[in-house]
Amino acid sequence: MYKRIMGLDVGSKTVGVAVSDLMGWTAQGLETIRIDEAAGDLGYDRLLELVDQHQVKELVIGLPKNMNNSLGPRAEASMAYGEGISKLRPELTIHYQDERLTTSQAERMLVTEGNVSRKKRKQVIDKLAAVIILQNYLDRIN
């Protein structure tokens, strides 16, 4: 059975979005959605447009745990984001994927392997982090 899975890297100002191929083997970056967590603008409209456009059935949301495996404020914000999506689309299955160090891993990839300028890195870092979160999840379930 073929299905697309979407990966999200949720921050306070942006949500990086990635999507799997139909086989569920690889993750590709889609876009970065601008949000304003403090103002309650969470970008759900755009996210759900992407869910519909790519016929996504499952979401994988990065869970930024602390190094001691506890959940801090950012992890709680990610779970609240997932709960908000669940209220809007209860048919979507939501998973949480430990995302410790994915942003630093993405940064390292862009600097060492991509030689990407600081300004450009800022524009793509969240999308790449979403790719890493989703790819880690796909590798784990396959």
Side-chain angles (χ1 to χ4, degrees):
M1 187 179 90
Y2 301 120
K3 63 182 176 185
R4 286 197 197 271
I5 302 173
M6 186 172 279
L8 304 177
D9 178 45
V10 179
S12 59
K13 296 187 179 359
T14 61
V15 177
V17 183
V19 70
S20 73
D21 65 298
L22 280 172
M23 303 293 282
W25 292 343
T26 62
Q28 296 86 37
L30 275 183
E31 68 178 69
T32 301
I33 301 170
R34 290 227 151 271
I35 67 169
D36 184 348
E37 189 179 71
D41 173 14
L42 301 174
Y44 288 146
D45 290 346
R46 178 61 184 149
L47 178 67
L48 294 176
E49 280 176 22
L50 292 170
V51 164
D52 292 341
Q53 181 182 341
H54 294 277
Q55 300 175 322
V56 169
K57 303 290 183 226
E58 297 179 44
L59 294 178
V60 178
I61 299 174
L63 193 62
K65 291 182 173 182
N66 295 321
M67 287 315 223
N68 67 3
N69 212 29
S70 65
L71 300 178
R74 283 309 325 150
E76 290 171 5
S78 290
M79 291 188 304
Y81 194 86
E83 288 166 15
I85 295 166
S86 279
K87 287 181 181 147
L88 295 170
R89 291 283 178 87
E91 71 278 8
L92 285 173
T93 303
I94 298 186
H95 309 278
Y96 295 94
Q97 172 71 31
D98 186 351
E99 69 153 90
R100 281 177 279 193
L101 304 177
T102 54
T103 302
S104 56
Q105 185 183 353
E107 178 100 21
R108 204 168 37 254
M109 287 169 74
L110 291 171
V111 173
T112 58
E113 296 167 31
N115 198 20
V116 178
S117 72
R118 185 178 303 259
K119 185 179 179 194
K120 262 241 186 313
R121 278 198 306 263
K122 216 172 158 70
Q123 295 169 355
V124 297
I125 192 92
D126 299 316
K127 182 168 59 174
L128 183 55
V131 169
I132 294 168
I133 289 164
L134 180 55
Q135 191 62 58
N136 288 344
Y137 176 80
L138 295 172
D139 291 347
R140 187 167 56 84
I141 64 167
N142 286 327

